Amino acid sequence: MLTTLKTAYTDTRADDLAWALGREPLPALAVLDLQLDGALLQLRLLGASHQVLLEQDEGSCSETVACMPGSSTPLPLGVAKRLGEWEYEFAARVETLTRGQFAGRAQELLALVADHPNSLAGTFPGSPHAFTAMLAQRHEGQVRWRTWHAYPQEGQLVVTRSRVGVRMPAAL
């Protein structure tokens, strides 16, 4: 689902993004509820980026990647955590592109998610290439999602991927 977010586009920077696990739901500009083989997943576009809420029989998980004033946890390159019965993994990278490359990549990503049933993307008024996009799937018992946060004024695209799955017992 592709939507135009009804908020002013503010000149945030990729460096302002922070990561948090376990936060309560924040006010969202757009929400998509998904049911993926017993997992309830809510994709949330915030004025300052994204939040994913996951609930399954094994527990719940909340991931927030956003410009959060006062946050002391910058966006990490990678995280691996145990959450009760689950294993959670997060990875992020920043792509720096030329203006032409950025426009092409933005169009490609928005086309990818626009009609996908498990995606949510929002463009910000004021810049055709300012957007946040999310795409989720269930694969081999794991729930996975990818996100893209576009900062056209810097030519930067922040790409994240996350997965949550039941922890496997250690082999003997």
Side-chain angles (χ1 to χ4, degrees):
M1 178 171 84
L2 179 61
T3 186
T4 299
L5 300 172
K6 298 193 179 3
T7 187
Y9 178 65
T10 56
D11 230 82
T12 57
R13 301 173 330 126
D15 290 344
D16 293 337
L17 285 177
W19 169 86
L21 201 57
R23 288 188 76 130
E24 293 296 316
L26 297 171
L29 299 172
V31 173
L32 178 65
D33 291 312
L34 298 171
Q35 186 139 6
L36 302 173
D37 291 334
L40 299 174
L41 190 68
Q42 188 175 75
L43 304 179
R44 303 168 59 82
L45 294 178
L46 312 176
S49 283
H50 87 259
Q51 188 171 50
V52 175
L53 307 177
L54 170 64
E55 287 191 36
Q56 288 189 139
D57 291 340
E58 295 85 3
S60 62
C61 174
S62 165
E63 172 191 279
T64 306
V65 172
C67 301
M68 297 178 277
S71 176
S72 60
T73 307
L75 191 64
L77 294 177
V79 174
K81 285 191 171 274
R82 287 186 175 174
L83 302 173
E85 297 294 314
W86 287 345
E87 290 181 350
Y88 166 87
E89 288 184 9
F90 172 86
R93 73 176 192 277
V94 178
E95 297 176 9
T96 302
L97 307 164
T98 66
R99 186 177 299 271
Q101 289 171 325
F102 192 92
R105 185 90 164 109
Q107 289 175 344
E108 172 186 288
L109 289 169
L110 289 173
L112 170 73
V113 300
D115 296 321
H116 194 287
N118 295 344
S119 72
L120 178 62
T123 58
F124 291 89
S127 176
H129 302 126
F131 68 91
T132 299
M134 310 168 73
L135 179 65
Q137 67 176 4
R138 177 117 183 171
H139 181 71
E140 295 181 355
Q142 298 178 341
V143 178
R144 301 172 182 212
W145 58 91
R146 297 189 64 189
T147 72
W148 299 269
H149 305 265
Y151 298 94
Q153 72 280 8
E154 297 181 315
Q156 291 188 320
L157 184 68
V158 177
V159 180
T160 74
R161 64 176 169 74
S162 304
R163 75 165 186 86
V164 176
V166 175
R167 193 171 55 190
M168 301 306 259
L172 298 176

